[in-house]
């Protein structure tokens, strides 16, 4: 998980039990928390009220697939609930959507002489606007936000 997120350009901090997570939340600020329910010590459900107080969006990533757990996680305030096993590309897309809704994604991206404005959905090279179809723009943005990830045709085109 950390490797996939890091390759997609995200800075990740990992902890492996609920007590470590609670301690870290006292010291650092995060844009998003990916949380497993079945953590030793304090479980993910027990951490949710505290996380909600500090206003960090949460996505549950868990093996618990029954409806009662999904409903409980969402009612506790999670933005999303993803059951293992999952595809990394789907998780990345869901993370991006949540960060966008919470205003945590950059609106200007500069790469290889291009300026991509994600708010206006425009691409500029210097003073010249590059005309792209919606699909071309989406693909460009996907590739720019996911460097180093090996993609197969089915991963991008369904």
């Amino acid at each position: 998980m950390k490797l996939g997120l890091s390759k997609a350009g995200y800075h990740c901090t990992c902890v492996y039990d609920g007590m470590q997570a609670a301690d870290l939340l006292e010291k650092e600020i995060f844009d998003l928390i990916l949380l497993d329910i079945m953590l030793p010590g304090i479980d993910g459900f027990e951490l949710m009220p505290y996380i909600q107080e500090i206003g960090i969006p949460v996505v549950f990533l868990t093996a618990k697939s029954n409806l009662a757990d999904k409903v409980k996680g969402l009612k506790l305030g999670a933005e999303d609930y993803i059951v293992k096993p999952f595809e990394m590309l789907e998780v990345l897309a869901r993370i991006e959507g949540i960060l966008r809704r919470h205003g945590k994604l950059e609106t200007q991206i500069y790469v290889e002489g291009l300026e991509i404005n994600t708010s206006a959905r425009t691409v500029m090279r210097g003073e010249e606007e590059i005309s792209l179809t919606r699909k071309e723009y989406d693909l460009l943005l996907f590739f720019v936000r996911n460097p180093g990830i090996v993609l197969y045709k089915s991963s991008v085109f369904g």
Side-chain angles (χ1 to χ4, degrees), residues 75-135:
K75 283 190 172 195
L76 285 171
E79 294 278 331
D80 207 343
Y81 190 107
I82 303 171
V83 178
K84 298 173 188 175
F86 48 77
E87 293 290 331
M88 191 65 196
L89 288 175
E90 179 182 1
V91 173
L92 289 170
R94 290 178 186 226
I95 287 170
E96 185 177 314
I98 292 165
L99 293 175
R100 188 180 322 105
R101 279 193 304 277
H102 287 267
K104 305 281 185 175
L105 283 180
E106 72 282 3
T107 58
Q108 297 290 114
I109 300 171
Y110 300 92
V111 61
E112 299 293 322
L114 298 176
E115 177 184 341
I116 304 168
N117 183 317
T118 59
S119 295
R121 294 184 61 89
T122 58
V123 179
M124 303 289 289
R125 178 178 286 127
E127 297 295 316
E128 175 189 354
E129 183 172 349
I130 299 171
S131 178
L132 298 174
T133 66
R134 182 182 183 97
K135 186 67 166 180

Side-chain angles (χ1 to χ4, degrees), residues 7-78:
K7 282 185 175 182
Y10 294 104
H11 173 73
C12 303
T13 303
C14 297
V15 295
Y16 301 98
D17 73 51
M19 284 302 277
Q20 283 181 318
D23 289 343
L24 193 58
L25 288 169
E26 293 283 329
K27 299 173 192 163
E28 294 190 40
I29 297 170
F30 299 94
D31 291 331
L32 177 74
I33 295 173
L34 301 177
L35 185 60
D36 197 336
I37 294 169
M38 297 183 291
L39 292 171
I42 301 171
D43 73 29
F45 286 148
E46 293 173 297
L47 279 173
M48 277 303 292
Y50 177 70
I51 296 169
Q52 284 301 106
E53 269 184 37
I54 54 180
I56 302 171
V58 172
V59 174
F60 277 114
L61 293 176
T62 182
K64 295 183 76 113
S65 62
N66 68 57
L67 182 60
D69 288 322
K70 290 178 186 178
V71 170
K72 182 177 181 178
L74 294 169
K75 283 190 172 195
L76 285 171

